[in-house]
Amino acid sequence: MAAAPAPRVLSLLSASTEIVCRLGMAHALVGRSHGCDAPPAVLALPAVTSPKMDPTAPSEEIDAAVRAVVAGGGPVYEIRNRVVAALAPDVILTQDQCRICAVTRADVAGACADLPASTIVTIEPTTLGDVLGDVATIAAALGVPERGARLVASMERRLDAVRAATAPFPRATACHLEWLAPVMGSGYWIHELFDAANCAMVHGAKGGHCPTLADDAALNDAEVLVLAPCGFSVERTRHELRSLGLPERWKNVRAVREGRCYVADGDRFYNRSSCEVVETAEMTAEMAFPELRGLWGHHGKHFLGALRAEDFDAAFSLCSPKNRERLSSPAKFREICGGASFAALLTGGEVSRTDVVSASAATVAVAAGDRRFLFDLAFEGGAWRTDGVRVVC
């Protein structure tokens, strides 16, 4: 007997698109939302939605635009109902958890009222149990429940492996920031993923909404700070940090001072209730415990070190005795380095250097952006010391 044909599936949620593909049902997809981009092959499908605000705008502008749309009672996204009708989906996957994050069931019902009968499958995850349950729900809707059960079991085994790997270490306090302007904490299923990584989450509760922090001082509650704003890639977040002036504003935050502040791919791993929540737990474990760095291979691929306080004590110790006497103290050194030229050296993006070395002396030319610096070095007491730096005008 021939197998029943696969249903025609329209996914309006990035998490459900990824789940459909993990279930081996990518061939059933006929369309997607504008935010469905994983795995990359789904980008070949027609997108049937678009946002009503500019997703490339600064964080503050996006926040204001979304609040205005929500206050007006209208949908945050547009649905191209003629395209949807032409695709004639048998199953439409959507969500009812957050009207800001993706198209909701009400949006679908309003925009596609004239569609032929379609099964609308709505997920509404707030806890890790919900995320795992949604995998089973989608698998059942696509006629492959056994695949769903197998996939959930695999995810649970991998989460158990994270718990086992992190168990020997003292529990760390950690904070995930869902947004940067205003600064917002996290919650939902992310709280349980932090728990699986042996981290106690601050500024967020299991199944709870993302709280807005009263002030930056609240960030000092965390040993580890994970910056993964909703919908933002690593590159987008690093740009946002600079445009918001956070490197200077947060220089005294505990995690920044101690070099334990990271930026991660929020769009893919910290905001989607997909099968990749397993990777989220693994990444969090690598951030919290340097001894595990590289165990799952996420560092440098899905997360990077973000903000780090400048260590002027260490830099001062590299100066020659004569230069230390002239500078008087690390605090004075920091004051001297407060100008625009040195700021470019400290935070100026791409940095290149050229060394000219002899047996006892060296000149190191460093280019940071459009500024060049020359460091004069001498070999004294078994170590290289600098006797000063010149800014090339």
Side-chain angles (χ1 to χ4, degrees), residues 141-327:
L142 303 188
V144 288
E146 72 291 344
R147 298 187 193 180
R150 188 168 61 236
L151 182 53
V152 169
S154 173
M155 294 171 65
E156 290 176 328
R157 285 194 298 271
R158 292 179 61 188
L159 288 170
D160 284 340
V162 175
R163 295 184 182 100
T166 57
F169 303 104
R171 195 163 175 81
T173 55
C175 176
H176 164 225
L177 293 188
E178 178 82 1
W179 200 248
L180 299 178
V183 178
M184 299 174 66
S186 185
Y188 294 102
W189 57 87
I190 300 297
H191 184 280
E192 294 166 271
L193 298 176
F194 272 55
D195 185 66
N198 199 17
C199 292
M201 173 178 274
V202 297
H203 309 306
K206 174 184 174 180
H209 292 276
C210 303
T212 299
L213 275 60
D215 52 50
D216 292 344
L219 298 175
N220 287 315
D221 295 339
E223 298 170 275
V224 180
L225 187 56
V226 181
L227 313 179
C230 183
F232 281 21
S233 64
V234 170
E235 297 84 357
R236 175 74 187 277
T237 301
R238 286 177 68 89
H239 170 78
E240 203 74 5
L241 290 175
R242 292 190 294 270
S243 65
L244 291 171
L246 297 184
E248 177 63 21
R249 183 174 130 193
W250 286 354
K251 64 185 179 184
N252 293 318
V253 169
R254 177 185 181 184
V256 175
R257 290 198 319 268
E258 298 176 359
R260 302 185 72 183
C261 177
Y262 303 93
V263 57
D265 189 335
D267 181 40
R268 182 171 172 186
F269 296 105
Y270 283 81
N271 319 132
R272 300 185 186 187
S273 59
S274 70
C275 302
E276 292 183 328
V277 295
V278 174
E279 280 87 344
T280 306
E282 295 169 349
M283 290 163 59
T284 304
E286 286 196 51
M287 294 180 212
F289 306 107
E291 298 87 346
L292 300 179
R293 192 70 49 80
L295 178 60
W296 294 284
H298 297 302
H299 182 235
K301 183 178 181 182
H302 302 309
F303 79 90
L304 296 168
L307 306 178
R308 184 183 297 270
E310 299 90 4
D311 191 347
F312 282 92
D313 289 329
F316 185 73
S317 70
L318 296 175
C319 293
S320 67
K322 182 169 58 177
N323 213 29
R324 289 200 298 271
E325 181 180 355
R326 183 164 58 242
L327 292 167

Side-chain angles (χ1 to χ4, degrees), residues 314-362:
F316 185 73
S317 70
L318 296 175
C319 293
S320 67
K322 182 169 58 177
N323 213 29
R324 289 200 298 271
E325 181 180 355
R326 183 164 58 242
L327 292 167
S328 74
S329 69
K332 181 65 175 178
F333 187 24
R334 183 186 184 98
E335 181 182 330
I336 292 172
C337 294
S341 292
F342 281 97
L345 180 61
L346 293 169
T347 62
E350 293 296 324
V351 174
S352 60
R353 57 177 283 175
T354 305
D355 299 356
V356 179
V357 182
S358 67
S360 60

Side-chain angles (χ1 to χ4, degrees), residues 14-39:
S14 55
S16 60
T17 305
E18 192 263 343
I19 291 171
V20 169
C21 293
R22 289 282 187 110
L23 290 169
M25 295 293 289
H27 61 285
L29 288 167
V30 296
R32 61 181 178 91
S33 76
H34 65 280
C36 297
D37 56 6

